[in-house]
Amino acid sequence: MMKKIYLLLFISTLTLTGCNINSTKESKPKLVVGIVVDQMRYDYLTRFENRYGNGGFKRLIKNGFSLENAHYNYIPTYTAVGHTSIYTGTTPTNHGIIGNNWYDKYEKRSIYCVDDNNYKTIGNDGDGGKKSPYRMQTTTVTDQLKLAQNMQGKTIGVAIKDRSAVLPAGHTANAAYWFDGGSKGEWISSSFYLNELPKWVQDFNASGKADAYLNSPWETLYDINTYSESIVDDNNFEETFKGEEKPVFPHDIPNLRSKNNNFSILKAIPAGNTITADFAKAAILGEKLGKSDYTDFLAVSFSSTDYVGHQFGVDSKEIEDTYLRLDKDLEDFLNFLDKEVGRNNYTVFLTADHAAVQVPSYLKSIKIPADYFSYKKFNDYINEITDKHFKSTELIENISNFQIFLNKEKINDLKLSVHEVAEIIANEAINYKGIYKTVTAKTLQSTSFNSGLLKSLQNGYNQKFSGDVMLIPTPATISYSKKGSTHGSAYSYDTHVPIIFYGAGIKRGNSKNNYKIIDIAPTICNLLDIEFPNGNSGKIITEVLK
């Protein structure tokens, strides 16, 4: 009798103190949603803050955990590299994705990060689906979730760009989907994942949404005179759509589409983000994500921000309008998650794959140092150097992505030392206008840099795939058109991006501590109680976790 009384008292005590005898940790989310905003600078959160509503970016910041001093820690800051690093928790030195395109010194040609002719397009008769993640050498957080659940649960990747859907979804995804423009206007996939499109994708493609979004002009969401966070609309620093006389609002999309590769123009306007959100919602419903006994993962990338940034630049009215519209898309998407998955059943992280530099020609116009780099002129310069020192102009195989690949066969034929040739080229290249630092592959292999630009360069260097001489341009120096802008460096304008965690298992707050983009994957893995990606070099951001 006394034992029964003690047992009842013990159970009552547990109940009164709020203890759960079945669990010592909050339940895992039913769905993780990774959101990558392509080319989003951190200051877009603060610059447009007064114009954002309360349900999009502000909701994530207010009710989630925002890292205000988060950066990329490698060179080059390109789309494929960024998406891969976010999801693998490591840098190109381990995961092997060293660019969007890069020179393959084994195949002696330029290659694209996700091209794979072993597979065919699923969804139409084009070649846009011949893709896979096979060049990515390590696992992703999405792979590790599948492994931890014995291949149960679903992983889906969604993006306008193929690389932004394929690489985050990992090697074990159920599917990755991307938008095929031109005359197609359809979401497609690869036979790497499946043999036919699910009915929900077929229905989406048949819905006419893509066409509908191109039936009206791109006008500003609000009165353009209130867009005070951007420079004058009519300026010399922005690229026009083909068929336009000036890069100004309104952009007559219905009449411009035929001159801008038809459905491909959708990628370059805010509606590209909206249809991405629409498709992501369709994926949640069609795949019943967040409804099973396992944790599912949806990797979503909003790519149109990058297209707009490249064409119009960081300071344009178009960028301001794109982010105001994206804020509304996010609000709608979060409300959808609340309804379909349940407010306490999902976890979101939002970040960017890189940021961007202001248009250098604009910077020059206001007396800030900036410049443009010509690969052709630089190649001529390097050939003069090799001719001067080695009596040959055939020692360079390729120069791209600020890397020099040497012609090893020719160097051997001339009985020269590869290391000596590389060292002399590096020493001479530093004298070229626009080049700020140079370093040889041998130095990167034998010296450990602890900080600064050379540390970032080392993190981005892959011994198997990278070049023989690595170059760093001066700040705000790019190889690009003098209208519009780009990215790729280790300077803060390219590396400083938002990282916001929100939802199940996440604290409310913010931090000014320095974190790296590679810290996202191990943090999500810890939240899910799973092993880190196998190349992980990031750390858990303990501040954000309950």
Side-chain angles (χ1 to χ4, degrees):
M1 182 68 180
M2 290 298 293
K3 289 182 178 180
K4 290 183 177 178
I5 292 173
Y6 285 135
L7 180 60
L8 288 171
L9 287 171
F10 177 67
I11 293 173
S12 298
T13 302
L14 289 176
T15 303
L16 289 171
T17 57
C19 294
N20 183 344
I21 59 175
N22 295 316
S23 176
T24 58
K25 189 170 182 178
E26 186 173 314
S27 298
K28 297 176 186 178
K30 304 300 291 181
L31 176 65
V32 178
V33 182
I35 299 175
V36 179
V37 183
D38 204 320
Q39 202 189 118
M40 184 176 183
R41 291 163 56 106
Y42 173 81
D43 64 0
Y44 290 161
L45 285 179
T46 56
R47 184 171 145 201
F48 307 135
E49 180 181 9
N50 292 336
R51 303 301 300 274
Y52 290 144
N54 292 321
F57 287 116
K58 283 185 177 179
R59 173 179 171 180
L60 294 176
I61 293 171
K62 180 180 178 181
N63 298 310
F65 201 102
S66 177
L67 306 180
E68 300 174 359
N69 187 22
H71 290 263
Y72 277 87
N73 62 330
Y74 61 78
I75 299 171
T77 43
Y78 294 143
T79 294
V81 195
H83 282 79
T84 305
S85 299
I86 291 166
Y87 281 86
T88 62
T90 193
T91 65
T93 194
N94 292 320
H95 63 58
I97 302 296
I98 64 171
N100 295 332
N101 302 273
W102 66 88
Y103 181 73
D104 189 311
K105 54 192 176 186
Y106 305 101
E107 297 183 22
K108 307 297 183 186
R109 65 182 181 91
S110 179
I111 59 172
Y112 178 61
C113 56
V114 293
D115 273 351
D116 192 341
N117 288 326
N118 292 310
Y119 300 97
K120 64 179 182 179
T121 303
I122 301 299
N124 62 40
D125 58 0
D127 293 330
K130 295 180 177 181
K131 313 293 177 186
S132 87
Y134 87 97
R135 295 187 190 277
M136 181 169 59
Q137 304 293 304
T138 62
T139 61
T140 59
V141 59
T142 46
D143 288 326
Q144 295 300 147
L145 180 59
K146 274 298 195 73
L147 290 169
Q149 299 182 131
N150 294 318
M151 302 305 290
Q152 300 298 314
K154 291 182 178 180
T155 298
I156 305 292
V158 173
I160 288 279
K161 296 179 181 177
D162 49 22
R163 57 187 179 272
S164 304
V166 170
L167 296 167
H171 304 276
T172 57
N174 296 80
Y177 300 100
W178 52 96
F179 187 73
D180 198 4
S183 62
K184 305 293 186 182
E186 300 168 326
W187 291 83
I188 62 172
S189 190
S190 164
S191 59
F192 176 83
Y193 306 102
L194 33 72
N195 295 320
E196 63 178 353
L197 293 181
K199 186 176 184 303
W200 67 265
V201 181
Q202 296 179 40
D203 290 345
F204 192 96
N205 284 337
S207 69
K209 277 182 177 267
D211 197 63
Y213 280 125
L214 299 179
N215 284 337
S216 57
W218 176 13
E219 299 177 321
T220 52
L221 184 62
Y222 306 112
D223 183 348
I224 195 170
N225 294 315
T226 67
Y227 282 35
S228 59
E229 299 302 327
S230 44
I231 61 176
V232 62
D233 194 27
D234 188 5
N235 62 70
N236 293 322
F237 313 115
E238 301 173 12
E239 191 60 74
T240 62
F241 287 109
K242 292 179 180 178
E244 280 187 325
E245 292 184 4
K246 294 182 178 181
V248 298
F249 281 105
H251 298 285
D252 190 0
I253 302 304
N255 289 321
L256 291 171
R257 62 184 290 185
S258 63
K259 298 178 181 178
N260 292 270
N261 200 19
N262 200 1
F263 283 103
S264 291
I265 200 173
L266 182 57
K267 303 176 182 182
I269 61 176
N273 291 328
T274 308
I275 198 172
T276 300
D278 291 342
F279 191 83
K281 288 184 283 187
I284 291 171
L285 294 175
E287 299 292 343
K288 297 181 173 59
L289 300 182
K291 300 294 187 182
S292 75
D293 293 333
Y294 301 94
T295 298
D296 299 319
F297 205 117
L298 177 64
V300 182
S301 183
F302 291 104
S303 305
S304 295
T305 43
D306 185 67
Y307 288 99
V308 174
H310 276 293
Q311 183 171 346
F312 298 99
V314 167
D315 299 291
S316 62
K317 301 289 187 196
E318 284 79 5
I319 273 289
E320 183 167 358
D321 191 68
T322 297
Y323 277 89
L324 296 182
R325 290 178 180 276
L326 177 60
D327 183 60
K328 289 189 172 296
D329 288 332
L330 283 173
E331 179 176 1
D332 182 64
F333 186 56
L334 292 171
N335 289 338
F336 176 87
L337 289 171
D338 291 342
K339 178 183 176 182
E340 298 298 333
V341 182
R343 185 180 283 261
N344 299 316
N345 291 329
Y346 67 89
T347 302
V348 170
F349 69 81
L350 182 146
T351 188
D353 56 346
H354 52 75
V357 64
Q358 267 106 349
V359 180
S361 57
Y362 168 64
L363 294 178
K364 292 175 74 173
S365 75
I366 55 175
K367 300 181 181 179
I368 292 177
D371 211 345
Y372 291 90
F373 180 87
S374 167
Y375 275 105
K376 183 181 183 307
K377 291 180 180 179
F378 182 71
N379 190 79
D380 291 342
Y381 173 79
I382 295 300
N383 280 333
E384 290 176 6
I385 296 304
T386 60
D387 188 38
K388 171 185 172 183
H389 288 274
F390 307 109
K391 307 302 181 189
S392 175
T393 58
E394 300 178 58
L395 303 188
I396 306 302
E397 199 163 87
N398 178 268
I399 303 178
S400 57
N401 292 340
F402 289 101
Q403 300 182 46
I404 300 174
F405 293 83
L406 297 180
N407 185 335
K408 307 292 178 55
E409 292 181 6
K410 187 64 178 179
I411 289 173
N412 289 334
D413 287 345
L414 295 175
K415 300 190 183 325
L416 299 171
S417 162
V418 170
H419 298 315
E420 181 184 357
V421 172
E423 192 68 35
I424 287 176
I425 289 174
N427 290 337
E428 293 279 12
I430 195 68
N431 298 317
Y432 190 81
K433 182 183 178 183
I435 296 299
Y436 191 53
K437 290 182 183 294
T438 66
V439 63
T440 65
K442 182 180 180 181
T443 298
L444 292 174
Q445 293 167 27
S446 59
T447 305
S448 180
F449 296 100
N450 296 318
S451 62
L453 293 175
L454 292 180
K455 176 61 175 177
S456 294
L457 189 67
Q458 193 161 51
N459 285 338
Y461 170 77
N462 186 289
Q463 183 177 356
K464 189 174 183 69
F465 304 123
S466 296
D468 301 290
V469 179
M470 316 294 285
L471 313 166
I472 299 177
T474 52
T477 295
I478 61 175
S479 174
Y480 204 69
S481 162
K482 293 186 178 180
K483 295 185 177 183
S485 194
T486 193
H487 47 85
S489 78
Y491 298 113
S492 183
Y493 53 73
D494 279 339
T495 66
H496 190 194
V497 296
I499 298 181
I500 307 171
F501 294 89
Y502 171 88
I506 304 300
K507 292 179 182 176
R508 293 185 181 184
N510 60 73
S511 175
K512 292 176 171 56
N513 292 328
N514 180 258
Y515 290 103
K516 308 304 181 189
I517 201 72
I518 59 175
D519 297 333
I520 293 175
T523 302
I524 293 296
C525 286
N526 184 255
L527 173 71
L528 298 175
D529 279 338
I530 62 176
E531 184 53 68
F532 296 166
N534 61 15
N536 180 74
S537 54
K539 62 183 180 182
I540 300 168
I541 308 171
T542 57
E543 286 189 84
V544 312
L545 299 175
K546 286 184 178 179

